[in-house]
Amino acid sequence: IAANICLYENRGNGGAQMSQNEILTGTGTASTPVGKPTFDADQLFREHKDSVVGLSDVVALGPNQIPVTLGSGFAIDKVGYGTSVDCRFATDNHVISTVTDKAKLTTPDGQSYPFEVELHDSANDLAILKVKGLPSSQCQPLELVEDERALGSSDSVLKLGARTGTVGSTAGAVETYFERRLAAHLPLLPGEDPGRSMVSVITQDRNSQSGDSGGPILRADGKVVAIMEAEGIGVIAGTPSAALAQDLASVKAGAGSD
């Protein structure tokens, strides 16, 4: 099993840039739930698009302030009740690792908010953000699957992201799980675990999906099974959501970043 793929983006580009010469080879099996629901990409998109957000920043170019797309994210936890809540969002650590104090999170209604980074998980390239005082209607957490290998080969999935400024989607089928170290010739990020698990997905969209890094990858029941991290021609790769579920539990327990 092989896929042409390359990981990570340059800051401000908003998406991982893939190399057609990079080969990922992985092996592994995953259990497929009995009686799993029918995959309906259109229904999944309608039901879960409002959980996805865009992330942006501003960089100085001489006297000008230039807005740049960083990537995407999605709601994972709502804190509080009423019309205004604190909301936690997940994304890739490399998406927000060098943000300025002008960075913003944009919800599906087009409103932008400052955010704080609650947790950096550099080992798994994950991060958790918090927006305080968000309208409750704009915080719609997605459920995380805690099984690291929750998908079987050829299982259908849907990736959501906000690369165009509005939420879009790309359907695909699982290729394989693999260890990060098998992405030969690609430098590890600072603190990244070379033995961590990733999953590759063959997609129906062969166009660039730059800007969707940090978006959720959903299985047929609408639960998050991975966080998008990289893209190539007809392929994406993500971090299994089990790692994010552990990070969220740590944040709730009061633990800090790595």
Side-chain angles (χ1 to χ4, degrees):
I1 302 172
N4 297 324
I5 194 168
C6 168
L7 306 181
Y8 313 126
E9 77 227 60
N10 294 321
R11 184 183 179 277
N13 196 32
Q17 298 302 298
M18 302 306 203
S19 166
Q20 295 184 33
N21 297 321
E22 180 56 37
I23 304 297
L24 290 178
T25 303
T27 59
T29 59
S31 59
T32 301
V34 176
K36 63 183 179 182
T38 301
F39 181 80
D40 186 330
D42 291 337
Q43 181 177 341
L44 285 172
F45 178 74
R46 290 193 303 270
E47 291 180 351
H48 302 296
K49 61 183 177 63
D50 289 340
S51 299
V52 180
V53 297
L55 298 167
S56 61
D57 203 351
V58 175
V59 297
L61 185 60
N64 301 314
Q65 298 291 306
I66 309 298
V68 292
T69 298
L70 298 177
S72 302
F74 58 98
I76 55 172
D77 186 42
K78 181 184 289 189
V79 182
Y81 301 93
T83 58
S84 179
V85 298
D86 292 348
C87 191
R88 291 187 173 105
F89 296 87
T91 189
D92 293 328
N93 189 55
H94 75 264
V95 168
I96 52 81
S97 60
T98 58
V99 293
T100 73
D101 58 4
K102 297 181 176 64
K104 300 289 185 182
L105 179 151
T106 302
T107 50
D109 64 353
Q111 298 300 307
S112 296
Y113 303 86
F115 60 83
E116 64 178 87
V117 181
E118 275 199 305
L119 180 139
H120 291 279
D121 177 1
S122 56
N124 293 297
D125 192 27
L126 294 171
I128 294 177
L129 318 177
K130 178 187 274 189
V131 175
K132 296 181 178 179
L134 190 71
S136 182
S137 62
Q138 298 303 306
C139 182
Q140 300 187 27
L142 295 174
E143 186 174 347
L144 305 176
V145 174
E146 298 185 18
D147 182 355
E148 186 174 275
R149 296 198 170 199
L151 298 169
S153 178
S154 299
D155 279 356
S156 296
V157 294
L158 187 73
K159 181 263 299 173
L160 302 179
R163 66 181 183 271
T164 64
T166 57
V167 179
S169 65
T170 301
V174 172
E175 183 186 33
T176 190
Y177 287 88
F178 62 92
E179 287 189 0
R180 170 64 178 89
R181 62 167 54 91
L182 295 177
H185 311 302
L186 295 173
L188 293 170
L189 295 171
E192 187 179 8
D193 177 9
R196 71 186 183 91
S197 179
M198 296 187 72
V199 60
S200 60
V201 174
I202 304 301
T203 72
Q204 299 172 9
D205 186 352
R206 299 185 65 82
N207 296 319
S208 173
Q209 298 166 55
S210 176
D212 284 352
S213 288
I217 299 175
L218 310 178
R219 69 183 186 187
D221 62 1
K223 296 180 181 179
V224 179
V225 288
I227 300 85
M228 179 179 160
E229 187 170 342
E231 60 125 356
I233 299 176
V235 63
I236 59 175
T239 302
S241 55
L244 178 59
Q246 294 176 359
D247 285 343
L248 179 58
S250 295
V251 168
K252 289 182 173 182
S257 298
D258 55 10

